[in-house]
Amino acid sequence: MASATFMANSMVMWSYVSAPDDYTLHGITASGRMWETIGMLGFFIVVGAVGIGTQMDSVNLSRVSQSVATVVGGVSLFLAYKRYEPVKAVKSVESGKNLYVAGFSELWQTAKTLSKTDPGAARYLLTSIWSEAGVASITNMAITYLSEQIQLSASEIQIFILIVFLTGPVGIFCHRWLARKIGHKRNYLCCVSYTAIVMSLLIATVYKPEQKGIVYIFSLLVGIAYGWYYPSSNGYFVSLVPREKVTELWGINSFCSVILSWAPPLIFAALNESTGSLRLGLIGIIIFLVIGVLFGLTIPEHAAAVSEEEKAVEMTNSASGDVENGEGTSAQSSPV
């Protein structure tokens, strides 16, 4: 439930994101991810402190953590939404037509024509299906691997997770610096490739209980990957999507990001059961990341530039039309 709420909130939040240029967009995505990291780290510390101080069992501690997430998240969500400026809708429902029917009809038409109207966004969505499934599976599968294969205790796994949170900001700075140097696409592909390399090295070098010390080195590397991936993926997609379709396509993006989330864990379980090796089970993550990189290479290089030009032309035409209609520029609102 909490995950679904976060996904919905994230979709609405990113629907509002816009920037006059890519340089500013890189800063916005980095700042947004930094605040997310601070929030997650604070939540981890609070729940950990409650668990240590009260010696609760896992069931009651889960209840406390859900309560904290609901209360703090609900208040933060309310305060955040109050800061959103109201904007004018770019489309309206025809008289007598059901809102939900119109919405599903619009989504269906967009899905059918997206590869022609917005090829960059369409290729990105195909890429996200694979890379997002790989990245999202790392935490759960890595914890299982470290617990069973390396025999880390619960406290040692908590230290691993804490280090991942603490090193997330390093990945955020990597995103902001590198994206401004080489652009959205190369930054995104570098991030996914880096994550695949880190997981490959983890499988190749850490497979015995005697190698516990090396695990914490990889917690640093995994933390960088997490801090880097989400601002790079969100910023890249925002740069590819036309302003008038941003809300609609963020819904499709959220769907694509979870549609194959079940596959890497299934591969992990199947390979483990058939071979008895947890190391081979983790290969599913690498396969998905590599496929994501291959699809990402097909995203048109000029997609973001074309999108920006179209936005500029649209804004110019809109302003001209308002002036001709006697409305003036002051009456304009930014579309969503």
Side-chain angles (χ1 to χ4, degrees):
M1 180 177 178
S3 176
T5 302
F6 175 79
M7 287 293 291
N9 177 43
S10 177
M11 181 177 70
V12 173
M13 179 188 72
W14 283 106
S15 298
Y16 272 78
V17 171
S18 62
D21 52 64
D22 282 345
Y23 185 90
T24 305
L25 181 58
H26 300 318
I28 292 173
T29 53
S31 176
R33 182 59 181 176
M34 183 66 75
W35 281 108
E36 287 178 357
T37 301
I38 292 172
M40 290 187 291
L41 179 60
F43 175 80
F44 180 82
I45 292 174
V46 169
V47 173
V50 170
I52 294 173
T54 62
Q55 297 297 312
M56 286 185 181
D57 57 57
S58 58
V59 174
N60 287 323
L61 186 59
S62 296
R63 291 172 177 169
V64 170
S65 66
Q66 287 294 321
S67 299
V68 171
T70 300
V71 173
V72 177
V75 173
S76 301
L77 187 62
F78 174 75
L79 294 175
Y81 280 175
K82 286 188 66 175
R83 295 178 61 88
Y84 289 152
E85 296 181 0
V87 293
K88 186 185 296 183
V90 296
K91 294 182 180 180
S92 59
V93 180
E94 297 179 7
S95 178
K97 193 170 185 179
N98 183 276
L99 175 63
Y100 297 103
V101 173
F104 280 112
S105 176
E106 182 71 19
L107 285 171
W108 174 247
Q109 291 301 320
T110 297
K112 288 197 303 181
T113 61
L114 188 62
S115 61
K116 296 180 180 179
T117 59
D118 303 287
R123 295 291 180 86
Y124 173 87
L125 291 173
L126 187 59
T127 301
S128 178
I129 289 174
W130 297 91
S131 58
E132 187 77 25
V135 172
S137 302
I138 290 176
T139 303
N140 292 334
M141 292 166 62
I143 288 176
T144 301
Y145 180 79
L146 296 176
S147 176
E148 300 296 328
Q149 184 80 17
I150 313 301
Q151 298 179 11
L152 261 62
S153 65
S155 59
E156 289 171 329
I157 290 176
Q158 289 177 347
I159 293 173
F160 178 90
I161 296 173
L162 179 61
I163 295 174
V164 169
F165 280 135
L166 290 174
T167 53
V170 178
I172 295 171
F173 287 122
C174 287
H175 153 71
R176 187 175 65 176
W177 178 80
L178 196 60
R180 288 174 172 176
K181 293 289 184 181
I182 63 177
H184 288 289
K185 178 179 178 177
R186 291 182 179 85
N187 174 55
Y188 175 77
L189 292 177
C190 284
C191 175
V192 180
S193 300
Y194 166 84
T195 306
I197 291 171
V198 168
M199 294 307 299
S200 300
L201 291 175
L202 175 64
I203 296 172
T205 60
V206 182
Y207 50 88
K208 298 178 182 178
E210 296 80 13
Q211 299 170 319
K212 287 184 178 180
I214 307 177
V215 166
Y216 298 112
I217 297 176
F218 278 97
S219 66
L220 298 171
L221 302 178
V222 172
I224 292 173
Y226 268 115
W228 186 357
Y229 177 77
Y230 289 102
S232 67
S233 61
N234 290 336
Y236 190 21
F237 189 60
V238 168
S239 73
L240 293 170
V241 178
R243 181 72 60 83
E244 71 277 5
K245 293 183 179 180
V246 67
T247 305
E248 179 183 6
L249 289 180
W250 264 106
I252 296 177
N253 182 41
S254 296
F255 172 75
C256 289
S257 67
V258 299
I259 191 173
L260 283 183
S261 59
W262 54 270
L266 178 62
I267 294 173
F268 179 78
L271 288 176
N272 181 40
E273 290 294 329
S274 60
T275 66
S277 173
L278 288 171
R279 295 175 71 189
L280 288 178
L282 287 180
I283 289 179
I285 293 177
I286 301 172
I287 292 174
F288 275 70
L289 293 173
V290 171
I291 294 175
V293 171
L294 294 177
F295 277 120
L297 291 171
T298 68
I299 299 175
E301 286 280 357
H302 65 285
V306 171
S307 180
E308 289 298 326
E309 291 173 4
E310 290 175 347
K311 291 175 185 177
V313 171
E314 180 184 352
M315 291 178 65
T316 302
N317 293 338
S318 177
S320 300
D322 288 343
V323 171
E324 291 174 0
N325 293 331
E327 298 178 3
T329 56
S330 61
Q332 296 180 41
S333 298
S334 299
V336 173

